[in-house]
Amino acid sequence: GMAVCEQEQGTWVGDVRDVARRCWPLLLGHVVEWYEFSIYGFLAPQIEANFFPASSVATWLGFALTFFMRPLGAFLLGRVADMFGRRASVNLSILGMLIATTGQGCLPTYRSGESAGLAGVTLLLLCRCVQGLSAGGEVGAICAYLIEVAPARSLGVVMALVPFVSFISFSSANAVAVATTAIVGEEAMTAWGWRIPFVVALLPASIALWGRRQMPESAAFLEHVRAPAAAGPSDDEAQNSGGAESGGAAARRIDVPNKRSRTPGGSGADRIQQYCSQAHPVLVGIGAVAAHGVLSYVANIWCVARMVQLGMPSSKALTASLITKLIAFVLKLPAGRIADVYGVGLLTFVNGTLTMLLGLPVFTLMTFQPDSILTLCCICIGFAVPSTMQMPDLFVAELFPTPIRATGLGITWNISLLIFGGIGTVLAEESLSISDLAPGWIISGGGFLTTASALYALKARRTGALRVTHVRAAPFWGRAELQVCVPDSCGIQDAAEHAVIGKGGVGLAE
């Protein structure tokens, strides 16, 4: 029957505090993940001296190796999350990151001889592979868990915690590297001090692992596992084959688990069929993450080196990058709140449009006036604002139903970052041979793809060609009044089947 619903009470601040209190092991583990990524970059000269003598290219290939392993990790650990639970997956991912990160600080180097050096390089690359596999599976399971335990009214601001803590990772890695160098000195840092920043990750990673082992499973996943068998076509086929958001019986449940089997992942045939049916949302999601990829890696990392090449002092270039990140850090939670009020679809459209419109002009100004105050201001504002106005993880998570959410989100996210982040920086460097402004076109092009994906998602939602919201039907594109069912005060959407009432239609809770 119809669940009695009432207007939600409380504030988004309380929601964030409650989710952070319950999910701190997930967020701490995410800090460890990006700490390792950052610390490898900060210690690149020391790593080169100990493992890749006179080969900076090999050093950065070791960094890039993790990007190529991430999609595979997203698939493998995503399957674990969707078949055996989010809790099992995040425990495996943090264990892998713990071993890979601290392991890199314990490796033999060429300072101990040729044989030791070769063994050290081999083990370093193996650690990088493990770290990439773990990080690739981490994002899908974490975002799936958060979206399934957050109150519906605060999905955006809760999901904003993920990039919010990423800045803490970057800052922590920077601080540890600087402090260690100041304490032991440059020479000792190259000889043995570089190991310390890797090894100190053992403490927070161990705490995160302990905390994750105590966490309960997502109620949405448990509901999916316990769902009774039912006749009729697969719900997942119906969810992504249209009509799910346009009314009728298909629209009566916001997210319905696959009911063909009591096993966590359904039968093998069911799961293969589910994956094959997700090409459509995966492509939409890859486009939606494109702006995030070019902003994070091309605009905010590669452009720093480019500004130095063009004559901007290194201190100014790093300051501009740091200010950009600080602005995004301060405004990230308010941006999540905007997604909760106006919808993640509209926010994604704004993000893509701003990136498309600002990318080329800001890069052009940077190219021709690299050392002016105006350029610094335009970089800080022109790259920070679109970096802030985005929630690609929430957009992508909404594209997939509970049974395959972690796998679908992880694969989509990591493939897009591989293309527009990892490969994007290489293309930006190579495109300079074509035109000095070509990288600016790459940044704006990423914004165009995100804008196009958001507009396509809106059209597909209205025509029933694709279901783009599996957890919260409204708001998606504009203001909406959100109501939730009384029995679910902690906000487990999939289990409670939220009722949402908005301008675009009504989704009813059974």
Side-chain angles (χ1 to χ4, degrees):
M2 200 61 106
V4 179
C5 296
E6 64 178 17
Q7 186 68 35
E8 285 184 302
Q9 302 297 321
T11 66
W12 64 270
V13 176
D15 292 338
V16 171
R17 185 187 306 114
D18 180 62
V19 172
R21 178 181 57 81
R22 290 187 288 138
C23 300
W24 66 264
L26 295 182
L27 300 175
L28 180 59
H30 198 66
V31 169
V32 174
E33 172 192 348
W34 288 106
Y35 170 90
E36 198 282 334
F37 265 86
S38 302
I39 203 66
Y40 186 97
F42 284 124
L43 299 179
Q46 290 81 12
I47 292 173
E48 178 183 341
N50 284 279
F51 295 98
F52 307 103
S55 181
S56 61
V57 173
T59 303
W60 288 105
L61 283 176
F63 177 80
L65 179 61
T66 58
F67 281 93
F68 288 92
M69 299 303 296
R70 285 171 72 107
L72 178 59
F75 176 74
L76 295 176
L77 288 179
R79 284 204 66 192
V80 172
D82 290 332
M83 295 180 67
F84 304 105
R86 298 14 176 156
R87 181 170 172 266
S89 180
V90 297
N91 275 305
L92 286 175
S93 65
I94 191 62
L95 180 61
M97 285 190 287
L98 188 155
I99 294 172
T101 302
T102 57
Q104 288 176 80
C106 304
L107 299 178
T109 70
Y110 280 105
R111 292 175 179 272
S112 302
E114 187 72 19
S115 298
L118 289 174
V121 170
T122 302
L123 291 173
L124 175 64
L125 296 179
L126 179 61
C127 286
R128 300 297 297 169
C129 288
V130 173
Q131 203 277 340
L133 290 170
S134 301
E138 173 92 349
V139 64
I142 281 184
C143 290
Y145 191 96
L146 289 177
I147 200 174
E148 290 166 3
V149 303
R153 64 187 174 196
S154 302
L155 284 183
V157 73
V158 167
M159 293 294 284
L161 289 171
V162 176
F164 187 81
V165 299
S166 296
F167 180 84
I168 298 176
S169 307
F170 173 83
S171 302
S172 300
N174 194 350
V176 170
V178 170
T180 305
T181 303
I183 293 172
V184 305
E186 293 283 352
E187 184 176 345
M189 189 68 179
T190 301
W192 56 269
W194 61 270
R195 299 177 183 274
I196 297 175
F198 286 106
V199 175
V200 296
L202 176 64
L203 178 60
S206 299
I207 295 173
L209 177 60
W210 172 83
R212 290 183 179 193
R213 289 176 60 85
Q214 317 305 315
M215 292 182 64
E217 185 53 76
S218 158
F221 179 80
L222 294 177
E223 179 75 8
H224 156 57
V225 172
R226 296 165 183 163
S234 168
D235 291 317
D236 295 320
E237 295 171 7
Q239 286 172 333
N240 275 334
S241 61
E245 299 185 52
S246 58
R252 293 179 64 82
R253 293 167 65 110
I254 301 305
D255 196 357
V256 186
N258 181 5
K259 296 184 178 179
R260 287 188 173 185
S261 173
R262 287 180 176 271
T263 61
S267 68
D270 280 343
R271 184 157 293 277
I272 292 174
Q273 185 179 24
Q274 287 172 349
Y275 289 140
C276 291
S277 69
Q278 300 305 310
H280 194 182
V282 165
L283 291 175
V284 173
I286 288 175
V289 181
H292 172 73
V294 295
L295 285 170
S296 298
Y297 295 95
V298 180
N300 285 318
I301 294 181
W302 179 84
C303 279
V304 173
R306 179 58 178 165
M307 286 188 288
V308 175
Q309 291 177 354
L310 292 171
M312 178 181 286
S314 178
S315 59
K316 285 188 177 181
L318 290 172
T319 299
S321 177
L322 182 60
I323 293 174
T324 299
K325 291 180 175 66
L326 278 171
I327 294 174
F329 173 75
V330 171
L331 298 179
K332 181 51 67 176
L333 292 182
R337 180 59 183 160
I338 292 174
D340 290 328
V341 175
Y342 294 97
V344 69
L346 183 59
L347 186 68
T348 302
F349 169 78
V350 172
N351 166 238
T353 302
L354 287 174
T355 305
M356 177 175 61
L357 296 178
L358 295 175
L360 180 59
V362 172
F363 188 83
T364 300
L365 184 62
M366 184 187 80
T367 300
F368 292 108
Q369 297 184 29
D371 196 21
S372 71
I373 297 298
L374 177 62
T375 299
L376 285 174
C377 294
C378 288
I379 290 173
C380 293
I381 298 174
F383 288 158
V385 173
S387 294
T388 299
M389 301 296 290
Q390 60 175 341
M391 291 297 301
D393 42 5
L394 176 58
F395 184 97
V396 176
E398 283 275 29
L399 291 172
F400 301 97
T402 299
I404 54 173
R405 179 170 294 132
T407 305
L409 191 159
I411 290 176
T412 302
W413 182 269
N414 287 292
I415 288 179
S416 189
L417 287 189
L418 170 62
I419 297 172
F420 299 103
I423 298 177
T425 54
V426 177
L427 290 178
E429 184 70 31
E430 292 297 324
S431 68
L432 291 172
S433 62
I434 301 175
S435 169
D436 287 341
L437 301 181
W441 286 102
I442 292 176
I443 297 172
S444 290
F448 171 78
L449 287 176
T450 295
T451 299
S453 294
L455 290 173
Y456 176 80
L458 176 63
K459 179 180 179 181
R461 169 184 169 90
R462 290 176 174 174
T463 61
L466 175 68
R467 183 169 185 179
V468 298
T469 54
H470 283 84
V471 178
R472 183 177 68 185
F476 179 75
W477 200 286
R479 292 183 65 94
E481 180 185 4
L482 182 64
Q483 294 181 327
V484 299
C485 298
V486 176
D488 183 32
S489 59
C490 61
I492 309 297
Q493 289 82 12
D494 302 315
E497 302 160 354
H498 288 324
V500 282
I501 304 176
K503 296 180 181 179
V506 179
L508 300 177
E510 292 183 335

